[in-house]
């Protein structure tokens, strides 16, 4: 029988942190899951590290994904290989709490109309130390109509649902959508979540079930501008595809907030860089 949950890890030059990521997944208090890993042709020794997990009964290690294709190539690779009804993608340097799977499966079971569940997360540094706790979700709480959740995230000008490690969803809806949405690469997760949530409700768990590892030295002015522009293009594409989803005022405010949030994020990362000694 197939496992209920597939946790998929698209590794890419994460060898310094990958073992911590995999160990956090394998330390779950929930048992009915598989762990699928594929390396995106890294040259940092990831292949040797993965060999240590090759005999684990819950782990399937795929042959390396050929170089190229951006994040989507490896995200789709591990997702296509998944067999579970429910799926969680965890990037190769992030962590999930020991009860992440059990809490999110329980939430989806409690609300049959829900297609996705998201939690809060901590931002941690290279050593795993929490630098900002319990981020995400805005004012979302409990069962939320999916369209309302998508609208709230646009209005906030940012991804309220967090990085993939915060999220679990019904895998068939990602398959139906044609895989991860890379039309706006910086928003590959938010865009894909949105496509799923337009098919049903979401559950916002206001507890911290994941940790996102930050690199405060990489937040440049160019990145800020590119991410803001892609967010605006994504908002505009949503509005064009579904005119009833976003009012003109919501679209204007969301696009303004996208620029403001990108600027605020850069200032935050510069502050974190000084605090962490990387700027």
């Amino acid at each position: 029988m197939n496992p209920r949950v597939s946790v998929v890890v698209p590794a890419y030059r994460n060898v310094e942190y990958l073992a911590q990521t995999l160990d956090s997944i394998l330390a779950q208090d929930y048992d009915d899951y598989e762990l699928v890993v594929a390396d995106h042709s890294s040259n940092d020794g990831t292949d040797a590290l993965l060999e240590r997990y090759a005999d684990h009964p819950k782990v399937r290690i795929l042959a390396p994904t050929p170089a190229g294709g951006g994040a989507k190539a490896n995200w789709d690779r591990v997702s296509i290989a998944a067999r579970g009804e429910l799926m969680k993608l965890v990037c190769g340097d992030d962590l999930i709490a020991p009860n992440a799977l059990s809490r999110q499966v329980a939430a989806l079971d409690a609300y049959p109309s829900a297609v996705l569940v998201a939690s809060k997360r901590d931002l941690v540094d290279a050593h795993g130390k929490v630098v900002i706790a319990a981020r995400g979700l805005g004012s979302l709480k409990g069962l939320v109509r999916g369209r309302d959740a998508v609208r709230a995230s646009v209005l906030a000008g940012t991804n309220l649902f967090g990085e993939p490690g915060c999220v679990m969803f019904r895998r068939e809806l990602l398959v139906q959508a044609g895989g991860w949405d890379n039309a706006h690469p910086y928003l590959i997760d938010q865009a894909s979540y949105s496509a799923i949530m337009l098919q049903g409700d979401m559950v916002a768990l206001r507890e911290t079930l994941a940790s996102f590892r930050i690199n405060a030295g990489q937040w440049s002015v160019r990145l800020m501008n590119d991410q803001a522009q892609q967010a605006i293009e994504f908002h505009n594409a949503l509005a064009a595809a579904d005119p009833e989803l976003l009012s003109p005022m919501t679209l204007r405010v969301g696009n303004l907030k996208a620029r403001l949030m990108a600027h605020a994020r850069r200032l935050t990362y510069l502050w974190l860089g000084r605090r962490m000694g990387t700027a």
Side-chain angles (χ1 to χ4, degrees):
M1 295 179 63
N2 289 337
R4 180 84 190 281
V5 178
S6 292
V7 183
V8 300
V9 177
Y12 181 62
R13 297 181 180 176
N14 307 122
V15 70
E16 185 176 358
Y17 309 112
L18 184 57
Q20 297 174 44
T21 298
L22 300 180
D23 290 346
S24 78
I25 297 166
L26 294 172
Q28 295 299 298
D29 63 7
Y30 178 86
D31 190 60
D32 192 8
Y33 73 96
E34 65 173 350
L35 170 54
V36 182
V37 189
D39 176 44
H40 202 168
S41 297
S42 304
N43 57 1
D44 61 354
T46 293
D47 53 349
L49 185 147
L50 290 178
E51 282 298 315
R52 292 162 35 189
Y53 295 85
D55 295 329
H56 195 288
K58 288 195 176 298
V59 178
R60 281 194 292 137
I61 299 174
L62 308 181
T65 301
K72 177 177 172 62
N74 208 23
W75 287 32
D76 278 348
R77 176 87 188 290
V78 290
S79 300
I80 290 169
R83 301 175 299 191
E85 170 199 352
L86 307 175
M87 194 173 85
K88 174 188 286 290
L89 185 146
V90 181
C91 294
D93 54 357
D94 295 336
L95 305 167
I96 61 173
N99 62 337
L101 299 188
S102 60
R103 292 290 296 128
Q104 293 189 319
V105 169
L108 289 171
D109 285 346
Y111 299 105
S113 65
V115 294
L116 180 147
V117 55
S119 74
K120 287 178 171 288
R121 84 281 197 197
D122 291 335
L123 306 186
V124 301
D125 64 15
H127 306 291
K129 181 180 179 181
V130 176
V131 291
I132 301 180
R135 297 286 293 174
L137 295 180
S139 61
L140 299 176
K141 181 179 181 180
L143 185 67
V144 182
R145 188 170 175 248
R147 293 174 66 84
D148 293 340
V150 172
R151 189 179 299 113
S153 197
V154 170
L155 192 58
T158 191
N159 177 7
L160 292 179
F161 317 109
E163 294 72 31
C166 303
V167 174
M168 180 182 288
F169 53 85
R170 301 194 187 278
R171 181 177 60 87
E172 65 176 346
L173 296 179
L174 182 72
V175 174
Q176 292 172 12
W180 293 91
D181 183 349
N182 201 45
H184 309 92
Y186 287 123
L187 282 78
I188 184 173
D189 46 5
Q190 183 183 354
S192 302
Y193 304 156
S194 297
I196 291 169
M197 285 185 289
L198 291 176
Q199 307 304 312
D201 298 332
M202 68 88 66
V203 182
L205 290 179
R206 302 194 65 83
E207 55 189 286
T208 299
L209 298 176
S211 298
F212 171 65
R213 200 180 303 273
I214 59 175
N215 184 334
Q218 293 183 344
W219 195 259
S220 65
V221 172
R222 178 179 177 181
L223 175 60
M224 175 188 76
N225 291 335
D226 287 351
Q227 190 177 55
Q229 185 58 41
Q230 288 191 21
I232 290 169
E233 292 171 359
F234 169 61
H235 297 168
N236 292 341
L238 276 176
D242 187 346
E244 296 184 0
L245 178 64
L246 305 174
S247 70
M249 179 60 73
T250 296
L251 189 59
R252 286 194 294 271
V253 172
N255 287 347
L256 174 61
K257 285 279 193 71
R259 294 198 183 280
L260 294 175
M261 291 300 294
H263 184 68
R265 195 176 298 113
R266 180 171 185 268
L267 293 177
T268 299
Y269 273 49
L270 288 173
W271 172 76
L272 288 173
R274 289 192 293 271
R275 172 175 171 174
M276 295 160 57
T278 59

